[in-house]
Amino acid sequence: TVSRRFHRCETTLACCVPVAGMGVLFHLALIFPLLWPAIAAYDNGLPNGTCFDTAIPENLRKNLTTPQGESVPITFLLAGWSSAQVTSSVIEILLTEVMGYNIAIGNRPPASSVDSIYCMLGCATWWNNTNRGCETRKIIHHVMVESWYLGFPHVLDLLAEMYQDEMPFSAGDMGYPGTAGGYLPAAPLTQALNTTGVPFEYYKNWDAAWFTPSDYFVNLTAVDTADFMKCSETTMHDNVTAYTFFKISGDTDGVVITEENGVKTYKLLCQDEYFWRPSSCRSDPSKCVVFVTGGDGWDIPHAPQRAAAYNMPFAIGVAASWSKYLEVPGKYKSMYFYWWTPDDSFIEMQPTKLILPTYDAYAWTLSDYTTAAADIKTAKIVPKDLTIMAPDVVKLLAASLFDSAAVDSMMLNMKTNSLTREQAACAWLKGNDVRWNMWIPDSTKCDPGFGLYDDATEVFTAQRTTATTCRACLPGMLSKAYSDDSGPTYVCEACPAGQQQLGAGEMACDPCPLGTSKLNQSPEECALCPAGQYQDEEGAFQCKKCPPGTTTMILGMKSISGCGCKAGSIDVSDLNSPLRTAADCQACTAGLDCPTMSTVAALKAGVSPVGEEFTPMVIEGYFSTESKPIELFKCSSPVECPGGKPDTCGGDRIGVPCGECPAATYWAGSKCSGCTAWSAIGWILCIALIFAGLVGAYYFLNSAVTAKASTLVSTTCAVGMMINMLQSLGIIGTMTVGWPVSLKGIWGFLQVFTFDIDGFAFACIAGENPVARYILLVLFFPAGLLWLSLCGLVSKVKAKWAWDTTKLRSTMGQFMQVSFSTMSSTALVPYICYAHPNGLRSNLKYTNVFCRTDEHTAMVIAGSLLLAFGVCGFWGFAAYLAHMCPKWCSTGNFRRVQSARFLLGRFRLDVWWYGVPLLLRGPLLALTVVVAPDYPAVQCLACQIILMTFMAVQIYNWPWKAPILNVVDMVVCFLLVILVAVAGFYVPAVTDGLKTFFEVFNIVALSGLLVLVGVMILASVLALFYRAAIGSQQELKIMTVGKTPPPSQVASVLVRQIAALVSKSDEQMAAKLEKLGVYDLQALQLASSILQNEVVDATDAIEPTRSSRSTSRITSQALAPAPKKKAEPEPPKPELDKDDEDPNKAKQATV
């Protein structure tokens, strides 16, 4: 019954505690929305900012330091009711102005004292009664003054079970209780006492048989029922309330009993529908004193029982609203009303509580409410940590006791004079300085568990003279008694050697537990015994060392039995042998993860008896056999060797180290897949298409070679460039760099261009033997040449089909040129041997082929033949062609030149030789993996040097016929350099000898830079004394990067060429120039611009040159110093004959 009237009744409250504070809580819930804006806009409320002239300035005030090390002000949880507001203001002023603390006010007031419990516990959403958010706890508020939380014991008990040591506590009683009940205004009480001498504040003087209270208090006939609710709208019609009254009082006339289907229902009888009247005045309303309450009927479960028990003539009514409840007692002046204290709602009426028999707890449990309600103890609630953060604040709270008169005076002053809560508190403080001065604690009188502390230096001190306050001793310290002339106190000292203290505010230290030690006196905890040590005694200064060659599996080992092999080594002894006395620890090689306490038995079993984290295992990408589990092999990928126990392969791979698939299967990238008939058919078709393509190449790749780049030539060059780029990418992908998983699929595809075609079911047609598959790949290249030769012979069957020998040679050269990088990388495959951790070496591509075995020897022979005759032979032949072509051109042997069109046709005629060095790019890139298969850092460095060298040569010569191809080739080289540079990020850090190599390399590179700059400076200095300025015609060769032809020689050639061109018409010249390439035309245009600006005199020119370059060139004359002016006689004008008078003839003579 009572629970329905609580403004926030929670399941844990049992909500039937019959105490006075429940009405107060309902009151607070009603006024909470009105208080919110004022609280949200809180400031200190004092006109001058402080209460006392001697207040500690704000800049000298201090914060709290939380256990987490945060610096925060003392934050108050400020309740909305007046008594809490003024008393909190008193504490706030003392803390800031007298004790020098910074404070803050929480931005959300509590709706009830239950909220304060969850708030001080640190719950995230303490104000939400459906979800308090206690899963996430952080202390934000530190003090709430006048909390009625002790009236909720069931909540406290439940939370204490859940949070135990985190529970908030009472920092001291307020000095006055929280009460509720019936109150009488002072005016009618005084009048009755003066008139009849009867003190109506005592319940016995309300007995209608002896007294008539209606003579002094307003009776039922004098009130307006519009100010009240009907009984049907209140708890007077509550079945349980009415039945309890009937059971306790026996007043059958005071209730209405109805029965339906055998079930009786009770409600209090309201004869006028607004008021319930007791038997003492039921027949005469004029004798009934009005008792007004609020809400839905506060105190109605109690008041009727008392009226019946003590023959008290008061009629009970419920105010129509909260505003009516506040209005009605003042409106009728002499009305008996329900109220609670401390509160300022009716304080100006100076009401007195009706004195009833003392609270009988047992009677109340029986629903007998004829005795007074129990008072509730009001207190200051704080979080537990406040005793550690600010013990002096807790002492102030404990000492600060108010009384009802003091609180009433502050509330009355605030209400009648429209003061702020701080102003009312300040006025009280100024008038009661003797009282509150007794509350201020001695800052250097420390309690047990605390010690003297200096706020200025933020350290604990052993002297009272240097201390400013007390702080709880930190973990690692003990609180020790200390006395001087000022009296006893406590100081904090660090725990001695061999002892520790994990808690704060303790009086003694504990000995170091087993497995730990502590050498010196300090606040530090006892340190766990490090790896390789143990301690089997308490209070030790130092740990004991494990036997040689062993260590402990965890820190803090407590006995010698915990000593085993160190991490990185493994016990190879027989654990079951009776002769075993100690662990036989051997270092684990790369590829084997050996945690502490590793054993061979655990490695084989895949599980360790001391725990999963101590189980040794083969790392991903490595393999070992069951018979020799600690001899590791390195695999080509983690997919093939997933690690774990020895003899474990992935994707159905077999062999050592998981290097092959079973017969009639092939490696599909993630597992071995079975061969099908379509696999063989597909390869047959593919080979047929390749050889058919070679025939087609004869017809499509033998167009006439000219100085200009035709569309077909440009297209075929672009396709060739793309193939060469893909080959380079495939070769870069073979580097032993730890590429990320997201890129491995791309590299796997690109390696097709290096003839790594096992993933395309090549084993289904070539067999599972890796040597046989490799030899077939080697034979592909001579087979291509033989096929073209055979086609040439067959074509001679009919004369019209016969292939031209020159074109056939060019086609064969084109085939070798396109496949040169692939052929180079294929020829080098047997030479790429990488090292296993066990000392053996495998071929990088065919990991199950071990180097220096018979299988490997057969591969080396095949690869060497391909390297000697295919790679070196073709490159030597290409170099020979490039060397001889100029000679053949000069002797008219054009058919031989045309046979080399595959080498010459893509490049400018003045850079015909560029195809020879370009062939070397692929083999050189592949050679980096051969030279340093186990050192990816060296591979990256070498690849970058190669690519940048080729890019520099290409930019310097700009060799391709089509300008766009030069740009594309440069960009491709640049991006390949970037790609290799990025690959360096996936390379492990270099160590040992390799680190020394890179250091030496850096020194050499730096020295080269310095030498180059030095040579340049020296040459510049010599040029000043030896020749003219840098870049002149007479400069040193080193400064002009080559020999400069003498001007006389150039002049002679120019005159002869000009004389030969004079007879040519414009059409003839255009026809000649039409055959030139782009770069030749640009060179002629530049030469014309130079002649116009530097050679031809302006007075001799027939007409200005129309070249765009001529207008953008700065002439040398413009920068030459101006000649000195001299007075010279004007030369005589020559006489012109008649022919000279013709201006056209004059121009011709000039030309």
Side-chain angles (χ1 to χ4, degrees):
T1 306
V2 179
S3 68
R4 291 198 301 272
R5 296 194 297 276
F6 292 166
H7 74 289
R8 181 179 285 180
C9 182
E10 308 194 20
T11 57
T12 56
L13 297 182
C15 288
C16 56
V17 181
V19 293
M22 298 309 174
V24 181
L25 299 180
F26 189 90
H27 168 107
L28 297 176
L30 292 174
I31 66 173
F32 167 73
L34 302 175
L35 293 170
W36 171 258
I39 293 173
Y42 169 80
D43 57 25
N44 68 4
L46 297 170
N48 298 322
T50 61
C51 178
F52 301 114
D53 295 335
T54 58
I56 296 175
E58 289 188 15
N59 62 334
L60 298 180
R61 296 174 189 174
K62 57 194 173 186
N63 282 349
L64 298 179
T65 301
T66 68
Q68 294 76 32
E70 297 179 84
S71 178
V72 296
I74 301 175
T75 303
F76 279 75
L77 180 65
L78 183 62
W81 47 94
S82 300
S83 55
Q85 296 232 332
V86 293
T87 52
S88 181
S89 295
V90 170
I91 302 300
E92 293 166 22
I93 292 172
L94 293 178
L95 283 177
T96 53
E97 300 189 19
V98 179
M99 297 180 65
Y101 279 97
N102 289 313
I103 68 165
I105 305 298
N107 60 2
R108 184 187 294 270
S112 74
S113 291
V114 174
D115 287 351
S116 68
I117 305 174
Y118 290 97
C119 179
M120 295 300 162
L121 189 58
C123 298
T125 52
W126 52 266
W127 60 87
N128 186 348
N129 66 328
T130 59
N131 180 16
R132 299 287 187 176
C134 294
E135 298 81 8
T136 304
R137 297 186 300 283
K138 181 179 180 181
I139 302 300
I140 303 296
H141 298 78
H142 305 100
V143 179
M144 177 180 173
V145 178
E146 197 192 293
S147 173
W148 298 44
Y149 80 102
L150 295 174
F152 303 91
H154 294 80
V155 176
L156 294 173
D157 293 343
L158 178 65
L159 293 177
E161 291 180 9
M162 298 171 63
Y163 303 109
Q164 298 179 356
D165 297 336
E166 299 180 51
M167 283 295 292
F169 69 97
S170 170
D173 182 62
M174 289 298 299
Y176 55 85
T179 64
Y183 279 79
L184 302 165
L189 282 177
T190 302
Q191 181 186 1
L193 184 63
N194 293 336
T195 303
T196 63
V198 177
F200 278 102
E201 58 266 35
Y202 294 98
Y203 75 98
K204 288 186 177 181
N205 294 334
W206 281 73
D207 188 341
W210 296 94
F211 304 98
T212 55
S214 58
D215 291 343
Y216 305 98
F217 299 92
V218 63
N219 63 60
L220 191 57
T221 60
V223 298
D224 184 358
T225 56
D227 293 331
F228 296 87
M229 290 184 186
K230 290 185 177 182
C231 294
S232 58
E233 299 172 355
T234 69
T235 53
M236 293 188 198
H237 279 204
D238 177 69
N239 181 58
V240 176
T241 300
Y243 172 74
T244 303
F245 167 77
F246 170 75
K247 181 182 70 171
I248 297 299
S249 67
D251 183 5
T252 57
D253 295 334
V255 297
V256 177
I257 305 173
T258 58
E259 184 173 353
E260 184 176 353
N261 298 325
V263 177
K264 292 183 178 180
T265 303
Y266 297 81
K267 59 183 177 181
L268 296 180
L269 173 64
C270 294
Q271 293 164 289
D272 58 0
E273 297 184 354
Y274 289 93
F275 293 91
W276 176 85
R277 287 180 275 171
S279 59
S280 57
C281 63
R282 192 168 291 152
S283 59
D284 187 358
S286 65
K287 299 297 184 182
C288 286
V289 174
V290 176
F291 174 60
V292 63
T293 185
D296 60 350
W298 306 328
D299 209 39
I300 285 178
H302 317 140
Q305 290 189 26
R306 295 165 183 158
Y310 307 125
N311 199 32
M312 301 172 70
F314 56 77
I316 304 172
V318 181
S321 64
W322 170 252
S323 59
K324 287 293 184 181
Y325 170 72
L326 296 177
E327 173 190 340
V328 165
K331 177 179 179 180
Y332 296 102
K333 305 299 183 183
S334 59
M335 182 172 286
Y336 179 35
F337 55 90
Y338 179 79
W339 192 40
W340 50 86
T341 58
D343 182 65
D344 64 347
S345 299
F346 306 109
I347 193 170
E348 65 277 3
M349 299 175 68
Q350 300 179 358
T352 300
K353 184 180 179 182
L354 180 66
I355 300 174
L356 294 169
T358 305
Y359 169 68
D360 186 342
Y362 176 70
W364 276 65
T365 62
L366 301 177
S367 300
D368 181 351
Y369 306 127
T370 55
T371 57
D375 292 342
I376 295 179
K377 184 178 180 180
T378 57
K380 305 104 175 179
I381 183 172
V382 297
K384 183 181 180 182
D385 288 344
L386 191 63
T387 58
I388 299 174
M389 295 186 288
D392 52 345
V393 173
V394 176
K395 290 180 181 179
L396 170 68
L397 295 174
S400 55
L401 294 175
F402 298 89
D403 54 62
S404 298
V407 177
D408 287 347
S409 68
M410 285 188 281
M411 291 191 297
L412 185 61
N413 190 19
M414 180 173 65
K415 186 173 183 179
T416 56
N417 296 310
S418 299
L419 302 180
T420 65
R421 63 184 184 92
E422 293 87 358
Q423 290 171 330
C426 180
W428 184 86
L429 284 168
K430 288 182 176 179
N432 293 272
D433 56 334
V434 175
R435 181 173 181 176
W436 63 258
N437 269 311
M438 298 173 61
W439 299 348
I440 306 301
D442 180 357
S443 60
T444 61
K445 185 178 181 181
C446 304
D447 294 331
F450 292 78
L452 296 173
Y453 187 82
D454 183 8
D455 283 319
T457 60
E458 297 184 346
V459 295
F460 287 96
T461 178
Q463 300 293 328
R464 194 192 296 264
T465 55
T466 57
T468 59
T469 186
C470 295
R471 288 279 179 92
C473 294
L474 301 176
M477 308 182 80
L478 61 91
S479 180
K480 184 178 179 181
Y482 168 80
S483 182
D484 58 9
D485 294 340
S486 299
T489 186
Y490 283 84
V491 295
C492 295
E493 288 187 356
C495 289
Q499 297 184 24
Q500 67 175 9
Q501 180 50 256
L502 302 181
E506 298 295 337
M507 300 295 295
C509 296
D510 303 320
C512 291
L514 300 180
T516 65
S517 67
K518 181 179 173 184
L519 183 59
N520 300 309
Q521 180 180 14
S522 73
E524 304 296 328
E525 296 181 25
C526 297
L528 294 173
C529 291
Q533 298 185 26
Y534 69 96
Q535 182 51 258
D536 52 6
E537 296 177 346
E538 290 185 345
F541 295 168
Q542 291 181 317
C543 294
K544 302 174 183 179
K545 293 185 177 180
C546 285
T550 62
T551 185
T552 52
M553 65 180 180
I554 57 174
L555 301 179
M557 187 54 63
K558 300 178 181 179
S559 68
I560 193 172
S561 62
C563 296
C565 287
K566 297 179 180 179
S569 62
I570 188 168
D571 184 2
V572 298
S573 64
D574 185 358
L575 301 180
N576 298 320
S577 173
L579 301 178
R580 182 180 183 271
T581 57
D584 182 6
C585 300
Q586 291 188 12
C588 293
T589 59
L592 190 60
D593 179 22
C594 297
T596 305
M597 305 297 289
S598 295
T599 65
V600 170
L603 175 62
K604 290 181 177 181
V607 61
S608 173
V610 295
E612 181 180 354
E613 63 270 29
F614 303 107
T615 303
M617 64 179 63
V618 178
I619 298 174
E620 275 189 344
Y622 291 86
F623 174 86
S624 69
T625 62
E626 179 73 21
S627 59
K628 297 180 179 180
I630 62 173
E631 294 186 9
L632 274 295
F633 297 87
K634 187 177 181 180
C635 303
S636 59
S637 76
V639 178
E640 299 173 3
C641 299
K645 295 169 58 176
D647 257 346
T648 301
C649 290
D652 300 325
R653 301 279 281 190
I654 60 174
V656 178
C658 304
E660 55 188 306
C661 285
T665 63
Y666 69 95
W667 182 243
S670 60
K671 66 177 182 177
C672 294
S673 299
C675 294
T676 63
W678 286 107
S679 302
I681 294 172
W683 269 108
I684 293 171
L685 292 175
C686 182
I687 294 172
L689 288 174
I690 291 173
F691 284 101
L694 291 177
V695 175
Y698 171 83
Y699 294 101
F700 293 104
L701 299 179
N702 284 292
S703 60
V705 177
T706 63
K708 300 179 68 175
S710 65
T711 303
L712 179 60
V713 170
S714 298
T715 303
T716 54
C717 289
V719 172
M721 188 180 295
M722 180 189 70
I723 294 173
N724 186 262
M725 178 197 69
L726 295 174
Q727 291 171 337
S728 299
L729 285 173
I731 293 171
I732 291 172
T734 62
M735 293 194 305
T736 56
V737 172
W739 299 105
V741 177
S742 58
L743 295 178
K744 285 187 176 180
I746 299 174
W747 293 125
F749 169 75
L750 291 173
Q751 287 179 23
V752 172
F753 296 95
T754 63
F755 253 28
D756 187 358
I757 53 178
D758 284 345
F760 293 88
F762 184 56
C764 295
I765 190 173
E768 68 273 7
N769 190 310
V771 178
R773 296 202 303 271
Y774 175 71
I775 292 175
L776 285 176
L777 292 178
V778 169
L779 293 176
F780 169 79
F781 303 100
L785 294 177
L786 290 173
W787 168 253
L788 287 172
S789 300
L790 179 61
C791 290
L793 291 174
V794 172
S795 70
K796 296 184 185 297
V797 174
K798 284 189 177 183
K800 65 176 183 179
W801 293 350
W803 283 9
D804 181 72
T805 304
T806 301
K807 292 183 178 180
L808 176 59
R809 292 171 184 169
S810 179
T811 303
M812 296 173 71
Q814 187 71 31
F815 166 70
M816 293 296 288
Q817 179 180 256
V818 169
S819 59
F820 190 77
S821 292
T822 301
M823 180 170 57
S824 303
S825 61
T826 303
L828 293 173
V829 163
Y831 298 97
I832 307 177
C833 290
Y834 72 95
H836 292 292
N838 60 13
L840 298 177
R841 300 181 73 86
S842 280
N843 183 261
L844 184 63
K845 184 175 181 180
Y846 304 102
T847 56
N848 57 324
V849 176
F850 290 92
C851 298
R852 298 181 182 179
T853 62
D854 293 341
E855 288 181 317
H856 181 249
T857 301
M859 292 176 62
V860 169
I861 293 173
S864 298
L865 291 173
L866 181 61
L867 184 63
F869 296 100
V871 179
C872 297
F874 177 73
W875 188 84
F877 179 67
Y880 170 76
L881 291 178
H883 175 70
M884 295 301 297
C885 277
K887 182 177 180 181
W888 292 337
C889 288
S890 63
T891 59
N893 195 349
F894 298 141
R895 286 186 60 80
R896 290 189 177 184
V897 176
Q898 292 173 5
S899 297
R901 75 179 67 200
F902 71 91
L903 186 65
L904 311 174
R906 298 174 293 168
F907 308 110
R908 290 165 39 202
L909 298 183
D910 57 333
V911 200
W912 78 96
W913 47 265
Y914 186 73
V916 177
L918 184 62
L919 285 172
L920 292 176
R921 185 166 66 182
L924 289 176
L925 290 174
L927 197 60
T928 60
V929 186
V930 177
V931 174
D934 299 317
Y935 304 108
V938 176
Q939 298 169 24
C940 289
L941 175 62
C943 284
Q944 289 185 73
I945 293 173
I946 293 167
L947 290 170
M948 286 190 290
T949 301
F950 274 91
M951 184 170 64
V953 172
Q954 188 265 336
I955 293 173
Y956 182 79
N957 292 284
W958 219 239
W960 299 88
K961 285 183 179 178
I964 187 61
L965 294 179
N966 284 300
V967 175
V968 170
D969 193 20
M970 179 191 68
V971 173
V972 166
C973 274
F974 175 76
L975 293 178
L976 287 175
V977 171
I978 295 298
L979 185 63
V980 176
V982 172
F985 293 112
Y986 304 110
V987 172
V990 296
T991 56
D992 303 331
L994 195 60
K995 184 177 181 180
T996 303
F997 165 78
F998 277 99
E999 290 175 353
V1000 172
F1001 182 86
N1002 281 330
I1003 293 173
V1004 171
L1006 182 60
S1007 301
L1009 287 173
L1010 297 176
V1011 169
L1012 182 62
V1013 173
V1015 169
M1016 186 64 189
I1017 293 174
L1018 179 61
S1020 301
V1021 173
L1022 292 176
L1024 295 175
F1025 298 97
Y1026 184 69
R1027 301 285 178 166
I1030 294 177
S1032 69
Q1033 297 167 355
Q1034 300 299 322
E1035 188 52 78
L1036 296 172
K1037 292 181 181 180
I1038 190 174
M1039 305 303 292
T1040 58
V1041 195
K1043 184 178 179 181
T1044 303
S1048 59
Q1049 178 183 341
V1050 177
S1052 175
V1053 172
L1054 279 176
V1055 169
R1056 290 198 302 270
Q1057 289 177 343
I1058 292 172
L1061 293 175
V1062 168
S1063 61
K1064 302 290 185 181
S1065 65
D1066 289 352
E1067 291 76 8
Q1068 290 174 324
M1069 290 294 296
K1072 290 287 187 180
L1073 296 179
E1074 183 67 26
K1075 299 178 182 180
L1076 297 181
V1078 174
Y1079 293 104
D1080 294 336
L1081 288 174
Q1082 291 176 350
L1084 285 176
Q1085 186 181 22
L1086 179 60
S1088 174
S1089 175
I1090 294 172
L1091 290 172
Q1092 170 67 25
N1093 289 281
E1094 302 289 350
V1095 178
V1096 178
D1097 293 334
T1099 57
D1100 296 334
I1102 297 173
E1103 60 182 17
T1105 303
R1106 299 299 181 185
S1107 171
S1108 61
R1109 287 178 177 264
S1110 65
T1111 60
S1112 62
R1113 178 181 173 87
I1114 299 176
T1115 65
S1116 59
Q1117 294 178 358
L1119 299 176
K1124 296 180 179 179
K1125 295 183 178 180
K1126 294 182 180 180
E1128 296 181 354
E1130 183 178 350
K1133 296 182 180 180
E1135 295 183 4
L1136 300 176
D1137 54 22
K1138 295 181 179 180
D1139 293 336
D1140 293 337
E1141 293 177 359
D1142 186 350
N1144 291 329
K1145 290 183 179 181
K1147 290 182 179 180
Q1148 292 176 5
T1150 303
V1151 175

